[in-house]
């Protein structure tokens, strides 16, 4: 039911906005965003990167804006791929739709913000309570936090990269 509702909303949205952008522009935007996300994810999944996210509003806004753009273009892509799948039942199109749904349901900007807020709270606790000493307990807490952070950021990155890879297998935007 949740997937059906998501599909309906995404299709309606893409029908309205698709005329504003063509497939080649969408593919280029997805490629650029994927490269940018992959680069930022390398920093974001570290303790220092988390510290920057938590403490620097400009960096935080940059990451949130990038995620919003990724979701925007994935929504546009969903409409294109849905039409392709409906036209010929393409298996690659179906896999693409499944991966977009995973990103749009499991890794929304809202869920990212919820996760990262919790991580920032933990980061601040570590820095406020253990940061002065930087001893074994500090290092253990940092490692634990970083492990959880890496896992989450890598899952988002995996979904974004999968969708970008699908776009190229579908040959969208190519004449």
């Amino acid at each position: 039911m949740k997937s059906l509702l998501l599909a309906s909303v995404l299709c309606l949205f893409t029908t309205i906005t698709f005329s504003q952008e063509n497939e080649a522009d969408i593919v280029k935007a997805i490629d650029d965003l994927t490269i940018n996300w992959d680069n930022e994810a390398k920093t974001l999944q570290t303790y220092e990167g988390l510290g920057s996210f938590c403490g620097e509003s400009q960096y935080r806004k940059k990451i949130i804006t990038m995620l919003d753009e990724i979701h925007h273009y994935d929504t546009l892509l969903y409409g294109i791929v849905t039409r392709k799948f409906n036209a010929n039942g393409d298996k690659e199109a179906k896999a693409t739709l499944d991966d977009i749904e995973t990103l749009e349901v499991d890794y929304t900007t809202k869920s990212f913000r919820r996760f990262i807020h919790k991580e920032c709270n933990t980061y601040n606790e570590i820095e406020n309570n253990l940061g002065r000493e930087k001893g074994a307990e500090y290092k253990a807490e940092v490692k634990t936090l970083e492990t959880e952070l890496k896992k989450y950021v890598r899952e988002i990155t995996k979904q974004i990269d999968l969708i970008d890879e699908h776009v190229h297998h579908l040959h969208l935007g190519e004449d």
Side-chain angles (χ1 to χ4, degrees):
M1 180 68 175
K2 193 176 187 181
S3 292
L4 183 59
L5 179 61
L6 173 67
S8 299
V9 169
L10 289 174
C11 285
L12 176 63
F13 179 74
T14 57
T15 302
I16 294 167
T17 60
F18 181 69
S19 62
Q20 297 172 356
E21 301 182 58
N22 68 44
E23 282 186 19
D25 291 340
I26 293 169
V27 169
K28 172 137 178 42
I30 290 170
D31 281 344
D32 291 346
L33 285 166
T34 299
I35 290 166
N36 291 339
W37 175 262
D38 287 350
N39 289 331
E40 290 300 332
K42 290 174 190 171
T43 300
L44 187 59
Q45 67 185 359
T46 66
Y47 187 76
E48 293 78 18
L50 177 64
S52 295
F53 183 91
C54 300
E56 299 171 19
S57 65
Q58 191 171 6
Y59 182 63
R60 186 170 43 255
K61 287 177 187 173
K62 175 183 173 182
I63 297 298
I64 296 299
T65 299
M66 187 183 310
L67 277 174
D68 285 341
E69 288 178 22
I70 288 167
H71 287 291
H72 167 74
Y73 282 101
D74 281 348
T75 300
L76 295 176
L77 180 62
Y78 193 88
I80 294 167
V81 177
T82 297
R83 286 188 289 281
K84 183 174 181 72
F85 178 72
N86 290 341
N88 61 17
D90 185 301
K91 289 181 183 181
E92 185 72 24
K94 175 63 173 136
T96 304
L97 293 171
D98 291 345
D99 285 332
I100 292 172
E101 285 181 19
T102 298
L103 184 67
E104 294 301 317
V105 172
D106 297 343
Y107 299 104
T108 64
T109 302
K110 184 177 180 177
S111 65
F112 173 81
R113 290 178 115 174
R114 197 175 313 121
F115 171 82
I116 207 78
H117 179 74
K118 182 178 87 80
E119 296 300 284
C120 284
N121 286 341
T122 304
Y123 174 89
N124 289 331
E125 286 177 22
I126 292 169
E127 288 302 306
N128 291 335
N129 296 328
L130 302 170
R132 291 179 202 93
E133 302 165 16
K134 305 249 193 254
E137 187 179 359
Y138 173 85
K139 290 177 184 173
E141 291 293 325
V142 167
K143 183 170 176 53
T144 300
L145 179 62
E146 203 170 55
T147 299
E148 185 176 337
L149 181 63
K150 280 181 184 178
K151 181 179 176 188
Y152 189 84
V153 172
R154 285 179 178 166
E155 284 300 314
I156 293 173
T157 303
K158 176 181 151 189
Q159 285 307 122
I160 292 169
D161 290 348
L162 278 171
I163 292 165
D164 185 55
E165 190 175 312
H166 287 302
V167 167
H168 294 287
H169 288 143
L170 290 169
H171 305 290
L172 299 177
E174 298 175 6
D175 291 328

